[in-house]
């Protein structure tokens, strides 16, 4: 398999981290900046203290200093299997896919996965779709190096990264029109495993899993110009059955200055969130936000979290598999349950809105500001060999509030909008979430019949040319055409049954998106 190390054509910076053997890439396609490594550390700061996640990619201050997913379950003989890491001094994940033959040191493996991240833009894909059959077309190298397939001779699964198989032959062949299947306008794809090396971070036994991250952003002109989405996919590759399988997202939230933050959980929105304890993020040894600092949340968009809490730096840091397991199950590391304002056990401590003095929040209790680590957990039950776990998360900042508490209110509103767009299949395509309130082609646009079996008609178009794309919920473009007031019908009878988005862009740049169902 060919392997890409550096592609200068992509609008993304790629680096090797000097103090470790891992490699990392930066995604900053919109206003946000996020640094991610190929051994599973996400939004982590660099050796000079640079923020791991920044709302403004051109500013020094950030909101996250480290994050990572934890995985655990009960294996044979009731033993805890654990893959959990927090900071880059120790790790449980290794770059590259799972090898059933254990050939992690084979030249074929190291040459393909010495760098186990790939970057791709929707612009490159769109150009490829439009021109791959054109004489003289030169394919972008990043399309050829996409890790669609693994080398089965060294125990790697044949099917790895998602792609669109244009001729349906089961083989990724970009020279004949195939292309990567990504979300957003720019995406980083990372593959790790927990089998290649000892678990030096948690000390836990191996789960035999392969972890895929699709980390993607919309453009800086979209509604979500500082939001980053994470599609997490976990493959159970080894033969051991795991019970009570649990996935936890660990986030060390540092909004500018380190020790003046609060945290909370919001079970109604499946979210944990962070905000400044006062309206002045005061100067320290780190860059700060000053007056009216932002808030941010981490939300799971397609599952219900079972618990969400926090711990602080020092003796509360987990050191053993049992410590991590306690946190992943709504308890402190010593096994005591988290409690509510009345001292009763709860999986969601500090669940209240800090704007409401009658709700239980860090701001409305004697809880001291600190350097909080947030943890939110999702349980899936028993995981058998061959099972696949898929969930979508979003890192969502809030900067439009009037003060540090109003930022939380605005955060809740923004997360609700993102959830609505996700539920409406509006977050898969590049910038389909553009705010078109003031730039709709026409408020009287009508698509009919809907549902349709053969022909759809679009009424309300002007006389000029309108570029039209029909995409499915995974972002694959099925039809490209031009419509106007006299030519306003599209034949969709060849489309598979399902939900589709009709994207229309006029000559003046105004756009609209309509949804329809193909029966």
């Amino acid at each position: 398999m060919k392997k890409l190390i550096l592609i200068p054509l992509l609008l993304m910076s790629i680096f090797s981290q000097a103090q470790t053997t891992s490699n990392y890439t930066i995604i900053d396609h919109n206003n946000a900046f996020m640094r991610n490594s190929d051994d599973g550390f996400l939004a982590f700061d660099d050796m000079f203290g640079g923020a791991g996640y920044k709302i403004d990619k051109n500013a020094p201050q950030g909101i996250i200093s480290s994050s990572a997913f934890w995985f655990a379950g009960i294996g044979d003989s009731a033993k805890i299997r654990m893959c959990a890491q927090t900071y880059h001094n120790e790790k449980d994940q290794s770059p590259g896919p799972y090898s059933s033959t254990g050939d992690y040191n084979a030249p074929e493996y190291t040459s393909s996965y010495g760098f186990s991240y790939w970057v791709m833009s929707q612009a490159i894909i769109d150009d490829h779709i439009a021109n791959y059959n054109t004489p003289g077309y030169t394919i972008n190298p990043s399309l050829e190096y996409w890790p669609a397939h693994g080398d089965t001779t060294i125990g790697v699964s044949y099917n790895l990264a998602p792609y669109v198989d244009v001729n349906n032959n089961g083989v990724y062949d970009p020279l004949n029109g195939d292309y990567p299947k990504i979300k957003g306008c720019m995406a980083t794809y990372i593959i790790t495993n927990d089998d290649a090396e000892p678990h030096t971070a948690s000390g836990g036994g191996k789960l035999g899993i392969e972890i895929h991250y699709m980390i993607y952003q919309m453009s800086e002109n979209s509604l979500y110009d500082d939001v980053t989405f994470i599609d997490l996919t976990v493959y159970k590759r080894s033969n051991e059955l795991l019970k009570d399988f649990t996935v936890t997202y660990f986030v060390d939230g540092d909004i500018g200055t380190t020790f003046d933050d609060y945290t909370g959980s919001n079970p109604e929105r499946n979210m944990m969130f962070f905000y400044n304890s006062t309206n002045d993020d005061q100067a320290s040894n780190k860059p700060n936000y000053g007056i009216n600092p932002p808030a941010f949340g981490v939300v799971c968009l397609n599952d219900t979290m079972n618990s969400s809490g926090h711990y602080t730096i020092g003796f509360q840091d987990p050191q053993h598999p049992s410590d991590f397991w306690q946190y992943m199950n709504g308890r402190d590391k010593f096994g005591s349950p988290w409690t509510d304002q009345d001292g009763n056990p709860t999986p969601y401590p500090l669940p209240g809105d800090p704007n409401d003095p009658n709700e239980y929040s860090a701001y409305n209790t004697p809880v001291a500001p600190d350097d909080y680590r947030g943890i939110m957990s999702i349980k899936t039950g028993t995981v058998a060999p061959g099972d696949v776990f898929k969930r979508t998360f979003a890192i969502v900042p809030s900067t439009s509030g009037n003060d540090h508490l109003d930022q939380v209110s605005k955060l809740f509103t923004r997360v609700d909008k993102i959830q609505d767009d996700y539920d409406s299949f509006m977050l898969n395509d590049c910038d389909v979430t553009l705010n078109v309130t003031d730039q709709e082609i026409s408020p009287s646009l009508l698509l009919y019949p809907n549902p349709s079996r053969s022909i759809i008609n679009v009424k309300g178009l002007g006389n000029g040319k309108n570029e039209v794309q029909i995409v499915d919920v995974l972002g694959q473009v099925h039809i490209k055409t031009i419509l106007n007031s006299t030519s306003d019908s599209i034949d969709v009878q060849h489309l598979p049954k399902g939900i589709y988005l009709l994207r229309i862009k006029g000559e003046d740049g105004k756009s609209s998106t309509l949804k329809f169902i193909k029966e």
Side-chain angles (χ1 to χ4, degrees), residues 468-515:
V468 174
Q469 289 186 349
I470 292 181
V471 301
D472 62 21
V473 297
L474 295 176
Q476 179 180 351
V477 179
H478 290 264
I479 295 176
K480 283 187 175 183
T481 188
I482 300 294
L483 295 182
N484 56 43
S485 59
T486 59
S487 177
D488 57 8
S489 298
I490 305 175
D491 184 355
V492 296
Q493 61 181 337
H494 67 285
L495 293 178
K497 294 180 180 180
I499 298 173
Y500 293 85
L501 301 175
L502 182 81
R503 302 173 58 201
I504 308 172
K505 185 177 181 180
E507 290 181 331
D508 56 1
K510 296 179 180 179
S511 60
S512 288
T513 300
L514 305 173
K515 184 168 67 174

Side-chain angles (χ1 to χ4, degrees), residues 98-228:
Y98 179 91
S99 169
S100 61
T101 56
D103 286 320
Y104 298 107
N105 294 319
E108 297 86 352
Y109 188 96
T110 57
S111 64
S112 295
Y113 307 111
F115 285 72
S116 194
Y117 56 78
W118 298 261
V119 289
M120 180 57 58
S121 73
Q122 188 60 44
I124 288 177
I125 293 174
D126 288 343
D127 177 73
H128 179 68
I129 293 171
N131 298 302
Y132 79 92
N133 237 354
T134 303
Y137 170 69
T138 300
I139 191 170
N140 189 294
S142 62
L143 295 164
E144 294 186 277
Y145 299 137
W146 186 250
H149 300 307
D151 187 347
T152 58
T153 66
I154 53 173
V156 175
S157 174
Y158 179 69
N159 291 311
L160 290 178
Y163 68 97
V164 175
D165 189 2
V166 173
N167 59 7
N168 294 311
N169 67 349
V171 177
Y172 178 66
D173 184 7
L175 293 176
N176 286 316
D178 293 351
Y179 55 91
K181 182 184 291 184
I182 68 168
K183 295 182 182 179
C185 300
M186 179 70 77
T188 301
Y189 203 82
I190 299 172
I191 302 177
T192 72
N193 71 87
D194 89 314
D195 185 64
E197 300 175 90
H199 291 190
T200 58
S202 72
K206 299 174 181 179
L207 292 91
I209 57 176
E210 180 178 293
I211 306 150
H212 293 217
Y213 305 93
M214 174 86 77
I215 303 167
Y216 54 101
Q217 295 175 339
M218 307 299 177
S219 81
E220 59 188 9
N221 297 314
S222 73
L223 280 176
Y224 305 129
D225 58 358
D226 53 8
V227 176
T228 302

Side-chain angles (χ1 to χ4, degrees), residues 104-384:
Y104 298 107
N105 294 319
E108 297 86 352
Y109 188 96
T110 57
S111 64
S112 295
Y113 307 111
F115 285 72
S116 194
Y117 56 78
W118 298 261
V119 289
M120 180 57 58
S121 73
Q122 188 60 44
I124 288 177
I125 293 174
D126 288 343
D127 177 73
H128 179 68
I129 293 171
N131 298 302
Y132 79 92
N133 237 354
T134 303
Y137 170 69
T138 300
I139 191 170
N140 189 294
S142 62
L143 295 164
E144 294 186 277
Y145 299 137
W146 186 250
H149 300 307
D151 187 347
T152 58
T153 66
I154 53 173
V156 175
S157 174
Y158 179 69
N159 291 311
L160 290 178
Y163 68 97
V164 175
D165 189 2
V166 173
N167 59 7
N168 294 311
N169 67 349
V171 177
Y172 178 66
D173 184 7
L175 293 176
N176 286 316
D178 293 351
Y179 55 91
K181 182 184 291 184
I182 68 168
K183 295 182 182 179
C185 300
M186 179 70 77
T188 301
Y189 203 82
I190 299 172
I191 302 177
T192 72
N193 71 87
D194 89 314
D195 185 64
E197 300 175 90
H199 291 190
T200 58
S202 72
K206 299 174 181 179
L207 292 91
I209 57 176
E210 180 178 293
I211 306 150
H212 293 217
Y213 305 93
M214 174 86 77
I215 303 167
Y216 54 101
Q217 295 175 339
M218 307 299 177
S219 81
E220 59 188 9
N221 297 314
S222 73
L223 280 176
Y224 305 129
D225 58 358
D226 53 8
V227 176
T228 302
F229 300 91
I230 305 170
D231 277 9
L232 173 71
T233 305
V234 182
Y235 297 88
K236 183 65 175 74
R237 299 295 197 195
S238 69
N239 293 324
E240 184 183 34
L241 187 76
L242 294 175
K243 298 180 180 179
D244 200 14
F245 186 69
T246 306
V247 176
T248 297
Y249 195 12
F250 156 86
V251 176
D252 183 355
D254 286 331
I255 301 175
T257 303
T258 301
F259 291 97
D260 64 346
D261 295 332
Y262 278 146
T263 186
S265 59
N266 189 280
E268 293 81 10
R269 293 178 172 85
N270 297 302
M271 177 179 69
M272 60 180 171
F273 60 95
F274 298 80
Y275 58 105
N276 214 69
S277 59
T278 69
N279 201 41
D280 186 1
D281 181 39
Q282 297 178 359
S284 68
N285 60 339
K286 293 180 63 176
N288 63 89
Y289 285 97
I291 300 299
N292 193 14
F296 79 94
V298 177
V299 57
C300 181
L301 295 169
N302 60 346
D303 204 350
T304 301
M305 63 184 187
N306 293 87
S307 62
S308 176
H310 59 272
Y311 67 90
T312 56
I313 189 172
F315 75 95
Q316 294 186 17
D317 284 319
Q319 298 177 330
H320 307 288
S322 59
D323 299 345
F324 288 95
W325 185 245
Q326 299 289 8
Y327 280 133
M328 298 173 78
N329 285 275
R331 300 182 289 266
D332 67 25
K333 64 179 285 187
F334 307 106
S336 298
W338 295 329
T339 57
D340 61 17
Q341 64 269 38
D342 298 319
N344 299 315
T346 178
Y348 307 108
L350 304 177
D353 183 344
N355 291 277
D356 187 341
N358 296 316
E359 294 191 11
Y360 189 58
S361 68
Y363 184 75
N364 295 316
T365 69
V367 173
D370 210 324
D371 181 14
Y372 287 102
R373 288 92 164 103
I375 37 181
M376 58 184 295
S377 298
I378 295 169
K379 287 187 173 292
T380 64
T382 299
V383 173

